[in-house]
Amino acid sequence: MDDSSGFNDAYDPLDLASETASARGWINYFIESARDTLLVEVPGKYKQISLAITWSAVADLLLLRIYTPLTFTVPSYALGELYRLLNYCNSQSLVGSWYYEVNENLQPFIMWRQEIPTDQTSLTPEQMHHILSTCAVAHDTFFLALISFLSAKPTLYAAPDGTRSLTALGVTVEEAMTYIERTPLFGRA
């Protein structure tokens, strides 16, 4: 039965996500201040992934976000190269996209975002497991190249045409793109 907020009491994908995560032994909990957001700790290839899941009953849409805080501010001279790499990653993915942001506390982070339309009558525990696992795999596909680019030390780069420049953070975008191209990618056509 629908109430005035548009929620169907018989169907709540966040409850289904919580049950699915619990059945697999994944830590999960609702954010106290926002009953519409569930946090799930999903095992990733390189690290434990904290996945925030928000459901909009009005749009019938699950929004999955993975925040990776950075321990440093990306220098302004490196932002162009970072955005170029993020654009490349996003062009290679069919299931989500990467963003670089700085929050209200001036904490920089990169975020993986994936939107999934749901069908209130047919989402099963198996489909929810697939959604959560797929998001983790899609994140892992690009995570290593992005972190390698962001965490390396600045170096002088000699381009094939003979020009020299300081790379943004040490690993060139071209090197990161080459790594992505050589890695079997999930969700790439």
Side-chain angles (χ1 to χ4, degrees):
M1 178 174 188
D2 288 332
D3 65 15
S4 61
S5 68
F7 283 93
N8 180 339
D9 291 335
Y11 176 82
D12 185 346
L14 294 180
D15 287 338
L16 180 60
S18 180
E19 292 166 12
T20 302
S22 294
R24 281 152 181 82
W26 299 344
I27 298 169
N28 67 94
Y29 52 92
F30 285 94
I31 295 177
E32 293 293 325
S33 62
R35 172 74 176 119
D36 65 344
T37 301
L38 174 72
L39 296 180
V40 179
E41 296 290 325
V42 180
K45 184 174 181 180
Y46 304 105
K47 68 180 191 94
Q48 190 77 358
I49 297 170
S50 296
L51 175 61
I53 306 169
T54 305
W55 180 51
S56 168
V58 175
D60 198 16
L61 184 75
L62 279 176
L63 175 60
L64 294 90
R65 293 174 299 222
I66 300 172
Y67 296 94
T68 303
L70 302 176
T71 57
F72 55 88
T73 302
V74 176
S76 59
Y77 68 83
L79 287 175
E81 290 294 286
L82 173 60
Y83 290 135
R84 188 169 147 224
L85 180 57
L86 291 173
N87 284 336
Y88 180 77
C89 291
N90 294 341
S91 73
Q92 299 299 305
S93 174
L94 298 176
V95 295
S97 26
W98 286 96
Y99 300 90
Y100 170 76
E101 293 186 24
V102 177
N103 68 15
E104 63 277 357
N105 299 322
L106 302 179
Q107 170 67 49
F109 62 90
I110 53 175
M111 177 181 64
W112 170 258
R113 178 183 166 119
Q114 184 174 350
E115 295 177 357
I116 301 171
T118 60
D119 178 354
Q120 292 190 15
T121 60
S122 66
L123 198 58
T124 66
E126 292 77 22
Q127 289 170 320
M128 182 58 74
H129 176 254
H130 178 74
I131 287 169
L132 298 177
S133 298
T134 298
C135 186
V137 169
H139 170 271
D140 283 345
T141 300
F142 301 103
F143 177 76
L144 190 58
L146 285 167
I147 293 301
S148 295
F149 172 76
L150 290 169
S151 62
K153 301 288 184 225
T155 59
L156 191 62
Y157 172 70
D161 66 2
T163 60
R164 293 178 181 265
S165 61
L166 187 66
T167 63
L169 293 168
V171 176
T172 66
V173 170
E174 287 74 17
E175 290 168 329
M177 289 178 185
T178 299
Y179 171 80
I180 291 169
E181 289 169 358
R182 291 182 182 165
T183 303
L185 293 180
F186 174 84
R188 184 163 76 170

